[in-house]
Amino acid sequence: MTFAKMERQLTEDGEPIAAHGKRTVRETLLRHLVEKIVSGEIAEGSTLPNEAELTERFGVSRTSLREAMQYLSALGLVRSRTRAGTTVLPRENWNYLDPLVLDAMLSTGADKTFYTSLIDARQLLEPAAAAHAAANASARQLAQISKAYEEMVEANSRDNEAWSRADLDFHTAIIDASGNWVYRQFGSAIRAALLASFRLTNRASQSHEQALLKHYEVLEAIRMRRPEAARYAMEQLIGVARSEITDALRKARIDQSSNTE
């Protein structure tokens, strides 16, 4: 990034954020810096200008800037060292599950590694969660899973957003019904990433009927209290999702190449 091209004062809806309350200034500045780093506009390995220059360029106080930098450091986006200054860290250090980082990642267009890593994690967690749900789910939890499935049926291919949100509710209801608090915490942390992946695959899906069938097989195995069948059915469902994500990303690359020609 060329810092000379940065805005003289950071604004939000045309109004300098320095005119806002302290918390709003800090949060807006932080979001702005996260977006710049995640998008690559501020490159990995680059060194940020010193504190005096940044406060002048953004029109913020030293306190707001320092608080924002502390948060960036906690997210693994930057590292500050005496005499060396503040450096943007490589992506492998970033906390992708933080809402600010995740929102910036999704808004700038997540890459193949983002989605395949998510699928890999789901492949490990969700079949086990489905097996536990088959063994442990309460009547209320079974009703929540069934309700989410029925909402998928109702949406079908007519409303992609409704379908995607029902799909998210189906999977998170199963994770919740597992009774495992670690699974639940993980499911809560990746909700936004899951929804983004469902939106991607559901737009590209060639057969919503096949998707409904795979979801029904998971639901029925859980409802019939068959843990191993539930595990297998979820493995098959995520296998289909992996294939659809691969196809969707391939199509997105083709479309992008066509648009740039």
Side-chain angles (χ1 to χ4, degrees):
M1 178 182 182
T2 303
F3 284 93
K5 296 181 179 179
M6 290 170 64
E7 54 269 62
R8 194 65 180 176
Q9 281 197 333
L10 185 60
T11 62
E12 188 172 54
D13 298 326
E15 181 183 352
I17 64 167
H20 297 182
K22 176 182 174 182
R23 181 176 178 180
T24 303
V25 170
R26 183 191 66 230
E27 291 177 352
T28 305
L29 174 62
L30 177 60
R31 185 172 65 250
H32 178 82
L33 290 170
V34 169
E35 289 172 353
K36 295 289 187 184
I37 292 172
V38 171
S39 70
E41 192 171 341
I42 301 178
E44 298 170 48
S46 63
T47 300
L48 300 182
N50 62 38
E51 185 178 86
E53 186 175 351
L54 286 175
T55 54
E56 181 184 359
R57 288 186 182 278
F58 288 129
V60 298
S61 69
R62 287 178 180 269
T63 300
S64 293
L65 179 67
R66 288 172 181 171
E67 289 176 348
M69 288 299 173
Q70 287 171 358
Y71 201 106
L72 289 178
S73 180
L75 294 178
L77 296 178
V78 302
R79 175 183 294 142
S80 297
R81 289 180 174 172
T82 304
R83 291 189 293 276
T86 300
T87 304
V88 178
L89 294 174
R91 288 175 177 258
E92 55 263 30
N93 294 279
W94 300 356
N95 178 6
Y96 283 99
L97 294 183
D98 180 87
L100 277 176
V101 178
L102 187 55
D103 285 349
M105 177 65 68
L106 296 175
S107 67
T108 57
D111 59 15
K112 179 181 178 181
T113 302
F114 176 87
Y115 287 109
T116 55
S117 295
L118 179 62
I119 280 286
D120 288 343
R122 291 181 62 199
Q123 191 76 64
L124 289 173
L125 182 148
E126 291 196 60
H132 283 296
N136 302 320
S138 66
R140 181 189 63 79
Q141 289 168 334
L142 287 173
Q144 286 297 110
I145 301 169
S146 297
K147 178 175 180 290
Y149 174 76
E150 289 164 4
E151 289 173 351
M152 290 183 69
V153 172
E154 183 178 347
N156 203 332
S157 59
R158 294 184 298 277
D159 186 337
N160 181 66
E161 183 62 19
W163 170 283
S164 297
R165 289 191 175 278
D167 201 353
L168 174 65
D169 290 343
F170 180 85
H171 287 271
T172 53
I174 290 172
I175 291 171
D176 181 63
S178 72
N180 185 304
W181 71 266
V182 177
Y183 292 173
R184 287 172 174 168
Q185 290 290 316
F186 182 79
S188 177
I190 65 171
R191 275 186 67 90
L194 279 176
L195 182 57
S197 70
F198 292 152
R199 285 169 173 159
L200 178 68
T201 56
N202 292 334
R203 280 196 303 269
S205 179
Q206 298 299 309
S207 175
H208 284 78
E209 289 73 21
Q210 180 193 30
L212 284 173
L213 175 61
K214 291 296 183 184
H215 283 79
Y216 179 78
E217 289 171 353
V218 174
L219 169 62
E220 192 64 10
I222 293 173
R223 194 155 50 191
M224 297 301 293
R225 303 293 187 181
R226 298 170 58 201
E228 289 311 309
R231 183 191 304 273
Y232 177 78
M234 184 62 81
E235 288 172 350
Q236 297 303 300
L237 176 56
I238 294 178
V240 171
R242 184 184 296 275
S243 177
E244 289 179 340
I245 277 185
T246 300
D247 290 344
L249 292 173
R250 185 185 301 114
K251 183 178 184 299
R253 286 195 299 272
I254 292 172
D255 291 344
Q256 187 175 26
S257 297
S258 300
N259 292 333
T260 56
E261 289 177 356

